[in-house]
Amino acid sequence: VIELRGAPVARAIRDETAAAIAKLEWVPHLASVLDPAAEDAAAYSRQLGKACERAGLRFSEHAIDADAGVLIRRLNDDDDVTAVFLHEPASVDLRALVNPAKDPERPVPCTAQAVVELLRHYHIGLDGADVVIVGRSATVGRPLANLLLDMRPGPTVTICHTGTKSLRAHTMRAEVVVAAAGRPRLVDAVADGAVVVDVGTNVVDGQLAGDVDAAAVSRTCGALSPVPGGVGPVTVACLLRSVVRMARLAAE
Ligand code: NAP
């Protein structure tokens, strides 16, 4: 089984980003906004802080409180802030306040970009392929389907969700399966030679676990992305790339 490791993909994106940073006349600044009580968000924010430090970007962290709307508006209006990343969980109303020109998840959420970058890096042929995405969220499943549907000629895309009658019937016929459901070991049967991308980040017994039962699918699949070390690092690299793009657009 080929391991679709994120590290080399993230490295290539970081190199591209470093070259773009070198051309800027000032240092972009990412503001990370989160509910500090949300452990996942706090861990992700720490990871972003470290990634920014390594890349030479400025980083600041802001806790959501009763006046979260005031905070977002202040960051929107602050010319010193390039991008505002609002962590999950956050209300739809609060998310709508983030200035689109400062939202690094626009126009395409970074996780969806990361899955495509991973597939591209490992030369996974998508034209004419049958792709099954498990999960229809606005942040992962749907934008990923859109990116794939924008390709020409591109793959045939199926999205599964909790209303899907037989998930296995879909995962067992797909050439590429992307699991983004937030359910540990949900995907446990795939076709011979299938490419499996595991987006899931679940904490099980204090350990990070994906949405794929790696032991079960490894009996048949051709390639699998590990958790941790697969999509995650690529998502972070895509986020920093997005911040630098925003800085460039702001400069223009
Ligand atoms: P989400 O908003 O909770 O959406 C989950 C989706 O999976 C929903 O569409 C849901 O269907 C579907 N689903 C849940 N259980 C299912 C089941 N038993 N059978 C079929 N479909 C099922 O989650 P998300 O934000 O998209 O995130 C998905 C996973 O990716 C999570 O583990 C999250 O932590 C992870 N994630 C990872 C990264 C990364 O960089 N690696 C980034 C973002 C998220 P319904 O719509 O019918 O409810």
Side-chain angles (χ1 to χ4, degrees), residues 1-55:
V1 177
I2 297 166
E3 208 183 15
L4 306 175
R5 295 202 59 80
V9 192
R11 199 176 309 122
I13 297 169
R14 278 200 301 268
D15 288 349
E16 193 190 302
T17 303
I21 293 172
K23 286 193 199 130
L24 290 171
E25 282 171 8
W26 82 101
V27 182
H29 173 184
L30 171 64
S32 171
V33 181
L34 70 155
D35 173 357
E39 279 177 33
D40 291 2
Y44 192 35
S45 186
R46 275 196 301 276
Q47 208 184 336
L48 287 182
K50 278 189 208 145
C52 282
E53 194 183 324
R54 242 186 350 194

Side-chain angles (χ1 to χ4, degrees), residues 119-157:
L119 293 171
R120 193 178 284 151
H121 182 93
Y122 288 98
H123 306 291
I124 308 298
L126 291 169
D127 287 339
D130 261 314
V131 178
V132 163
I133 300 170
V134 186
R136 59 175 158 186
S137 74
T139 45
V140 190
R142 278 171 208 240
L144 174 61
N146 281 330
L147 282 182
L148 297 173
L149 293 173
D150 281 342
M151 295 176 177
R152 300 275 158 170
T156 302
V157 181

Side-chain angles (χ1 to χ4, degrees), residues 137-224:
S137 74
T139 45
V140 190
R142 278 171 208 240
L144 174 61
N146 281 330
L147 282 182
L148 297 173
L149 293 173
D150 281 342
M151 295 176 177
R152 300 275 158 170
T156 302
V157 181
T158 305
I159 300 193
C160 298
H161 45 77
T162 54
T164 300
K165 253 189 267 167
S166 168
L167 181 63
R168 269 201 190 143
H170 292 280
T171 61
M172 287 183 73
R173 67 162 175 77
E175 293 163 89
V176 178
V177 176
V178 180
R183 297 281 179 277
R185 290 189 295 277
L186 178 65
V187 172
D188 60 3
V190 300
D192 278 338
V195 172
V196 184
V197 177
D198 191 350
V199 181
T201 48
N202 312 290
V203 178
V204 179
D205 300 332
Q207 302 264 3
L208 197 60
D211 289 349
V212 174
D213 184 337
V217 305
S218 292
R219 289 197 280 269
T220 54
C221 76
L224 171 65

Side-chain angles (χ1 to χ4, degrees), residues 60-75:
S60 58
E61 208 171 75
H62 308 263
I64 290 177
D65 56 18
D67 281 337
V70 175
L71 169 67
I72 299 286
R73 286 198 187 88
R74 183 169 63 70
L75 294 170

